[in-house]
Amino acid sequence: MKAKKKKRQDDFQKVKLKVGKKKPRADNATNTNFRSKGIYLSEQLKRDTSGPTTHKQLGINDLLSQLHHYNANVKHSALLGLKELLSISPSLLEQHLSRLLSEVAAVLTDKDHNVRVAAARVLRYIAQCVPAERVAPFFPLLSAHLSCAMTHIETGIQEDAINVLDVFLEHYPALLAARPAVLLTNFLEMISHRQNSGGAKKASDSKAWTWALSINPNRAVTSQQWRLSVLLRLGRFLQAVVEERPTEESDMSVPTERVFGSSGEGRFTPLHLNWEELTYSKVGVKIYEHSGAKPTPHSTFKLRPEQDPGATVSEGLDSAETVQKFAATLVPLLLEVWVEASTNDSPWNNTEGAHLLTPDAMSVMFQVLSILQLLRKLAPQRENQDALDAWFRKEYLGDFKQHFIKNFPYGSRDTPRHKKKIDLKRSKQTAALPGPTVDPLALNITLCQVMVSLSQKQGVGQEADGDWLTPLSTFVRDTLGSGVKLSYRQLQMLLGTVWKMVLTQRSKTVTEDLLAAVYIYYKQRNLPLQTRSLLLSFYSKLYLQEQGYAHLTRSKVLSRWLASLPVQLSQLGHRNPMLSAQLILSIQAAASRGNKDMLSSLQTHACTLYDPQDGVVVLLPSESQQRMVQLLYFLPKMSQPLLANLSSCCTAGRISAGLAASLIRIIHLRSPLSSWTAGSQEAALQHVDYFSFLFSTLIGFSSEQLASLQEAEDDSVLPPVALSPLSLYPTPLEQFTHHWDIVEEVCHCLETLGSKSQCFDILQTGICNYLTKLEVVSDSMAAGLLRAVSRLLDLSVLPLEPVLRFLSQCCLSLLSLLLTLQQEAPTETNHKREAIWGACVTALSSIPRLLRVVLQSLRVANLNEEELPQLGQILSMLLQHTSLHSQLLANTTLLQEILQHLTRFSRGATREQWLTDLLYCYSVTVAHGSSAHRGNLGLRDIY
């Protein structure tokens, strides 16, 4: 025992340390005799140079990866960095749009409020920069995340989802409207819940499922405020759906589709496609089965399986049955919302002030009525809308009268505001709620439009609607007749209400009262263009419905409005071309129907409207000018002052030559000499006035203009010389061409009268009485007279001597002008020279004795040395023209005498070239033509 104990003690003996000796080293001692060096990884310390970064040196890949972090502050910081980075470098949107949308949309349902708000701000920034067509491929994913947020169990996430919905409604309404089914169900689930009222046995029956308003006490706002916020977005979403629908062709001339239009069948606007342009464009094409018509075969095959019994909306709102099913679910909820709001508004059931509403109750009612109005417009076609209105009337007319019409019209209640301590936290939470108040006038107008849509046409065996329509018509009449200023939208809705009332009630008393109220508003001054156009379109379309409705046939208000149209047009003039064009359309519609009041007013103001200086016919655009010219056909009478103005309009160049020709044809058709008659329409002018109009138009100048032209002393008038007996006023090329086209039309009208001899006799009488004493004429008038006389000449009537002398002066002056034009600007005046030369040659070859008078007027002794070559050139031109050979041979003696005088007075040692050319042309003409006309003594006597 002692040996074992001693051995155990030996194992654990204490080391004895001695003073002055070195301490022995321990077995587990660490050797510290080493040196350390730092290790630098240069690749890790490099900055990200692959793209732009934030002020924290984070790129877009880093920020997107941080959105998956578990910490809410990191995700919030990443979203702020994304907005900063995108604002610095917008090109990143194009490169990373897919990742940005998917990652940011995924945090819309995050638990942290700040993260959701930051995500909504990033989405708003992206929506402001990226167009809808770029977002369209990724929008199903965005819509799915939005639906999850809208129907989330957390109330805060639902409230923040409303802000994201606002972003999409503002920037991408068409993409939202493309898939309405899911979102409409989400809207319903935000304010209500589905419940099975029939028990478990009837769970498979769709009728057993009902919707009831839900209340969540955990919300930061009251239930009424939350429902109002949801209904506001629902109304905007339905408006987007309606606007994206293929609109039917409306008969309105202004953008007021489906407000008041004809009751004809719905038609789709044809779409003309260019596939080459469509391939590279961003516009999508929608194809509709059977072009909108109903197919005859009904197949039971369905691509999609049957929906669950509680489903409210199918995949789309493409059929009337789907819209009706959705309305059957939504309308009871809307009525419950309004009943709850009205009960809270007047808890003591005070009937005296029931028509006075607080701002909150008024906002709720306005949103309910707006949604009801949009539900009507969801119908795919017009006939579906009529059926939907009939269904609304059958199902909900009693409820609407009880809840809406009972206290109509509504006003605003003044509620005292008490100063309360502001709760900053609660004010931030309620900042997203709709703030603007509703005007009582807008509320009442919307209610009128909703209720009037439920009225039906009065007939035998149908229930009369006068009991509940009377307060509506009284309100509409008082509102329009009071002179209150209405916005364009409010006036549009009121006119739609009047339109529906007039066409359905068919009461002459009600119709006259309503139209008189509209006319009072119409006569207000300083109305905007859009408002004035809307009123004009209303009256015009209502007048077009006159034949189908007996109570509109003899409406005094419509007659008064029609009679005032020409006065308004003359006063408006060209200050507003768009409004003037609409006035002309209305006048044209009434004129085509032969409205006596309007035609009488039009005839009274015709001289002002067709004034050649300040009339609308010369100041408005070409399309309106054409309609003004067409109105002349319907005038009962055309006075002499009006014809004088019309002649000046044709010749002044203020309207095109084609339009002037149309004007001349219309006056020709309304003349007593026209062989074309339409019905019992009498001639609008007399024979004398018609010929006076044609003669004034043929000349191209009025008597006052001719008188002033004789006294002109400017350099533009060419002075008379031996070769130009008349002083010519050279007109510009554009004016000459314009007048030449008019001359052709005047000649055509005169030729169609039948008797050329009588027309020629009238024409030469006018020339003899008014033109032979003129000393200054324009080249266009001289050429036009030669052209007209040549076309109207009848050999049975020889021209009078004064007329023949005047025509010879015109011809000789024009031939002298040709030489001047050829020397100055041969290329620019090519058309003018051809017209003048053709008129001179035709006149010399067709008018008897005209060439003889021209040759007799040539006095070689009175010419100077500069004029001799000009005469030689004129004669050479005449000799070279084949159609003049017979007439020149008939006057050989005069021609030889002139040549002898030219040879005698031409001085110089050698013969000049112009004289050599003249003698050669003469010899050729005489040699080839003398044998053919040697025995024709009759032709010699005529010419």
Side-chain angles (χ1 to χ4, degrees):
M1 293 295 291
K2 292 181 179 179
K4 292 182 178 179
K5 184 176 181 181
K6 186 177 181 180
K7 186 177 181 180
R8 225 174 10 253
Q9 290 177 354
D10 292 339
D11 294 338
F12 299 96
Q13 288 183 358
K14 184 178 179 181
V15 178
K16 295 181 180 180
L17 301 176
K18 295 182 180 180
V19 180
K21 298 294 182 180
K22 187 177 180 180
K23 183 179 179 180
R25 184 178 180 182
D27 296 337
N28 59 349
T30 302
N31 185 13
T32 58
N33 295 327
F34 62 86
R35 294 182 179 180
S36 63
K37 291 185 179 181
I39 301 176
Y40 296 93
L41 302 178
S42 57
E43 294 297 330
Q44 291 185 358
L45 296 179
K46 282 185 178 180
R47 294 182 179 180
D48 187 8
T49 58
S50 59
T53 58
T54 62
H55 70 283
K56 294 183 179 180
Q57 309 302 327
L58 295 176
I60 189 170
N61 294 323
D62 300 329
L63 295 173
L64 291 176
S65 62
Q66 288 182 1
L67 292 180
H68 299 279
H69 201 274
Y70 64 90
N71 194 333
N73 294 329
V74 175
K75 289 186 283 188
H76 182 260
S77 177
L79 290 170
L80 296 180
L82 277 177
K83 187 175 180 182
E84 175 190 353
L85 190 61
L86 294 178
S87 60
I88 296 174
S89 179
S91 60
L92 294 175
L93 283 172
E94 295 290 334
Q95 303 173 10
H96 305 276
L97 182 61
S98 176
R99 290 185 61 196
L100 280 170
L101 293 177
S102 60
E103 297 292 347
V104 174
V107 297
L108 292 178
T109 55
D110 194 84
K111 296 181 179 180
D112 189 75
H113 171 71
N114 295 328
V115 174
R116 298 193 301 268
V117 172
R121 291 173 181 173
V122 174
L123 285 178
R124 180 177 292 276
Y125 181 81
I126 295 175
Q128 293 173 353
C129 301
V130 183
E133 55 268 17
R134 291 278 291 116
V135 182
F138 318 108
F139 201 78
L141 179 62
L142 294 176
S143 179
H145 284 292
L146 176 62
S147 299
C148 293
M150 292 175 63
T151 57
H152 203 276
I153 193 173
E154 293 290 338
T155 59
I157 296 178
Q158 293 184 16
E159 294 171 0
D160 292 333
I162 292 293
N163 300 327
V164 180
L165 181 63
D166 290 338
V167 175
F168 292 160
L169 286 173
E170 180 181 356
H171 298 282
Y172 306 126
L175 298 179
L176 275 177
R179 301 179 61 190
V182 178
L183 285 178
L184 288 177
T185 306
N186 294 339
F187 278 116
L188 293 177
E189 293 178 353
M190 294 178 77
I191 62 173
S192 61
H193 63 277
R194 255 183 328 199
Q195 61 184 7
N196 187 3
S197 60
K201 295 181 180 180
K202 297 184 179 180
S204 59
D205 188 5
S206 59
K207 295 182 180 180
W209 292 88
T210 59
W211 290 78
L213 293 179
S214 58
I215 299 177
N216 192 339
N218 297 326
R219 293 192 184 276
V221 295
T222 63
S223 298
Q224 181 176 336
Q225 291 176 335
W226 170 246
R227 291 166 190 159
L228 177 59
S229 177
V230 175
L231 291 181
L232 178 64
R233 274 71 178 195
L234 176 59
R236 293 177 58 190
F237 176 71
L238 292 178
Q239 183 66 35
V241 174
V242 170
E243 291 177 354
E244 294 302 321
R245 284 291 178 88
T247 57
E248 296 178 3
E249 185 181 86
S250 177
D251 56 352
M252 300 307 301
S253 57
V254 293
T256 58
E257 289 82 356
R258 304 193 69 168
V259 177
F260 44 88
S262 65
S263 57
E265 297 181 356
R267 298 176 301 274
F268 284 90
T269 305
L271 183 62
H272 302 282
L273 302 179
N274 188 338
W275 295 107
E276 296 180 357
E277 298 178 359
L278 193 64
T279 304
Y280 302 99
S281 66
K282 299 179 181 180
V283 181
V285 180
K286 299 180 180 180
I287 306 298
Y288 298 96
E289 185 183 10
H290 305 286
S291 300
K294 294 182 179 179
T296 49
H298 297 277
S299 175
T300 57
F301 175 75
K302 295 182 179 180
L303 293 176
R304 296 182 180 275
E306 292 291 338
Q307 294 183 339
D308 62 286
T312 304
V313 186
S314 61
E315 184 63 24
L317 299 174
D318 299 331
S319 63
E321 293 77 9
T322 307
V323 177
Q324 182 175 329
K325 183 179 178 181
F326 174 68
T329 303
L330 181 61
V331 173
L333 293 177
L334 295 178
L335 292 175
E336 289 184 27
V337 171
W338 164 238
V339 169
E340 180 181 339
S342 61
T343 304
N344 296 335
D345 196 43
S346 54
W348 299 284
N349 296 326
N350 187 7
T351 57
E352 295 180 357
H355 67 286
L356 299 178
L357 303 177
T358 60
D360 293 340
M362 195 172 294
S363 299
V364 171
M365 187 177 189
F366 181 76
Q367 292 303 324
V368 168
L369 294 174
S370 300
I371 293 174
L372 290 176
Q373 185 66 15
L374 290 171
L375 284 176
R376 294 181 55 251
K377 299 180 181 180
L378 289 177
Q381 298 179 10
R382 181 67 58 84
E383 55 270 18
N384 299 137
Q385 181 173 341
D386 296 338
L388 190 61
D389 289 340
W391 177 80
F392 268 111
R393 176 186 175 90
K394 178 182 176 182
E395 297 291 334
Y396 300 107
L397 179 58
D399 295 333
F400 289 174
K401 288 193 296 184
Q402 178 183 357
H403 298 298
F404 298 144
I405 300 296
K406 183 178 180 181
N407 300 317
F408 179 82
Y410 294 93
S412 178
R413 177 186 300 174
D414 297 331
T415 55
R417 297 183 178 180
H418 303 284
K419 293 184 178 180
K420 296 181 179 179
K421 185 178 180 180
I422 300 176
D423 189 357
L424 297 178
K425 182 177 180 180
R426 188 174 183 86
S427 63
K428 290 181 180 180
Q429 292 174 346
T430 59
L433 294 177
T437 58
V438 178
D439 185 18
L441 179 61
L443 174 67
N444 292 324
I445 292 175
T446 307
L447 178 57
C448 289
Q449 193 175 25
V450 171
M451 294 304 300
V452 169
S453 64
L454 303 182
S455 63
Q456 62 181 355
K457 295 182 180 180
Q458 299 301 315
V460 180
Q462 292 183 346
E463 181 184 357
D465 297 332
D467 56 338
W468 58 273
L469 281 179
T470 300
L472 300 180
S473 60
T474 303
F475 170 78
V476 172
R477 185 180 66 248
D478 296 342
T479 304
L480 291 172
S482 62
V484 64
K485 292 294 183 181
L486 301 171
S487 66
Y488 175 79
R489 177 60 181 167
Q490 291 174 349
L491 180 62
Q492 188 183 45
M493 296 173 69
L494 279 177
L495 292 181
T497 303
V498 173
W499 179 276
K500 184 73 173 180
M501 285 184 176
V502 169
L503 298 186
T504 55
Q505 297 307 301
R506 303 191 178 187
S507 172
K508 190 170 183 62
T509 304
V510 175
T511 299
E512 288 296 308
D513 293 342
L514 291 175
L515 295 184
V518 177
Y519 192 67
I520 292 175
Y521 195 89
Y522 177 82
K523 292 192 298 184
Q524 291 186 10
R525 296 184 177 181
N526 301 325
L527 289 177
L529 169 62
Q530 198 176 20
T531 302
R532 184 73 69 181
S533 300
L534 181 64
L535 290 166
L536 273 175
S537 186
F538 169 78
Y539 272 119
S540 179
K541 297 304 175 183
L542 193 64
Y543 173 70
L544 293 179
Q545 299 289 328
E546 185 182 31
Q547 294 181 352
Y549 298 89
H551 62 289
L552 291 175
T553 305
R554 290 179 295 274
S555 175
K556 297 180 180 179
V557 179
L558 278 179
S559 300
R560 196 186 319 156
W561 171 74
L562 289 171
S564 67
L565 291 180
V567 185
Q568 298 176 38
L569 182 60
S570 62
Q571 294 174 352
L572 182 63
H574 67 288
R575 290 176 295 176
N576 198 321
M578 294 180 60
L579 192 58
S580 297
Q582 199 165 356
L583 282 170
I584 294 172
L585 284 173
S586 302
I587 294 174
Q588 195 174 32
S592 62
R593 294 192 174 194
N595 187 275
K596 295 182 180 180
D597 297 330
M598 197 284 302
L599 290 177
S600 177
S601 178
L602 179 62
Q603 185 172 351
T604 304
H605 300 85
C607 291
T608 305
L609 296 174
Y610 293 94
D611 187 88
Q613 299 297 329
D614 303 324
V616 295
V617 71
V618 296
L619 298 176
L620 291 179
S622 58
E623 184 177 357
S624 298
Q625 288 180 348
Q626 184 177 3
R627 296 187 181 276
M628 287 296 298
V629 170
Q630 293 171 356
L631 280 176
L632 290 172
Y633 180 78
F634 303 102
L635 279 178
K637 296 294 180 183
M638 295 185 186
S639 60
Q640 293 182 358
L642 176 60
L643 291 174
N645 287 349
L646 295 177
S647 178
S648 300
C649 291
C650 293
T651 57
R654 303 292 296 274
I655 61 177
S656 63
L659 190 58
S662 300
L663 190 152
I664 296 171
R665 292 191 207 106
I666 290 176
I667 296 179
H668 173 72
L669 292 175
R670 293 304 311 278
S671 68
L673 299 176
S674 174
S675 59
W676 186 85
T677 57
S680 59
Q681 194 174 22
E682 299 179 355
L685 64 163
Q686 299 178 357
H687 303 76
V688 179
D689 297 336
Y690 174 61
F691 282 111
S692 298
F693 167 77
L694 291 182
F695 186 75
S696 301
T697 309
L698 179 65
I699 293 174
F701 291 88
S702 62
S703 58
E704 294 81 5
Q705 292 174 340
L706 286 177
S708 62
L709 193 62
Q710 307 307 310
E711 300 174 358
E713 297 180 356
D714 52 356
D715 299 336
S716 60
V717 178
L718 301 178
V721 291
L723 286 179
S724 180
L726 298 176
S727 296
L728 284 182
Y729 171 74
T731 56
L733 177 61
E734 184 178 358
Q735 182 180 353
F736 183 90
T737 306
H738 177 84
H739 183 70
W740 188 257
D741 296 337
I742 293 176
V743 168
E744 294 289 341
E745 187 61 35
V746 171
C747 294
H748 174 73
C749 291
L750 290 174
E751 287 176 340
T752 57
L753 295 181
S755 178
K756 275 191 175 183
S757 59
Q758 294 181 0
C759 293
F760 178 73
D761 194 12
I762 295 173
L763 179 60
Q764 73 171 348
T765 302
I767 295 174
C768 185
N769 294 337
Y770 299 103
L771 303 181
T772 54
K773 297 180 180 180
L774 297 179
E775 296 180 357
V776 181
V777 296
S778 67
D779 54 359
S780 60
M781 184 179 75
L785 287 174
L786 292 176
R787 177 64 174 167
V789 173
S790 303
R791 292 183 60 172
L792 298 175
L793 179 65
D794 192 346
L795 295 180
S796 62
V797 181
L798 294 178
L800 300 176
E801 191 64 27
V803 175
L804 201 59
R805 191 181 308 110
F806 178 74
L807 293 178
S808 66
Q809 294 175 354
C810 292
C811 186
L812 189 57
S813 300
L814 289 175
L815 290 174
S816 178
L817 178 65
L818 279 177
L819 299 179
T820 306
L821 293 176
Q822 191 172 2
Q823 295 174 1
E824 293 180 354
T827 305
E828 298 177 359
T829 60
N830 190 22
H831 175 72
K832 184 176 182 179
R833 288 188 294 108
E834 290 179 356
I836 293 177
W837 173 247
C840 292
V841 170
T842 305
L844 291 173
S845 61
S846 59
I847 301 176
R849 300 176 56 237
L850 179 60
L851 182 58
R852 176 182 292 273
V853 176
V854 170
L855 295 177
Q856 288 175 351
S857 63
L858 295 176
R859 305 295 180 182
V860 182
N862 298 333
L863 302 179
N864 54 30
E865 295 182 358
E866 297 179 355
E867 295 174 341
L868 290 177
Q870 296 179 4
L871 177 57
Q873 294 180 17
I874 291 174
L875 293 176
S876 298
M877 291 166 57
L878 297 177
L879 289 170
Q880 292 175 6
H881 207 281
T882 308
S883 62
L884 294 176
H885 286 177
S886 58
Q887 288 80 6
L888 290 172
L889 290 175
N891 299 280
T892 305
T893 305
L894 286 174
L895 194 58
Q896 289 178 353
E897 183 179 353
I898 294 173
L899 291 176
Q900 291 176 1
H901 287 291
L902 285 175
T903 306
R904 185 184 311 147
F905 287 102
S906 178
R907 301 175 182 177
T910 58
R911 182 181 297 175
E912 297 185 13
Q913 183 64 35
W914 63 268
L915 184 57
T916 304
D917 296 340
L918 175 59
L919 294 176
Y920 173 76
C921 292
Y922 173 74
S923 62
V924 171
T925 303
V926 172
H928 287 278
S930 59
S931 59
H933 298 276
R934 184 174 301 169
N936 197 345
L937 299 178
L939 184 65
R940 184 186 302 271
D941 294 336
I942 293 177
Y943 291 97

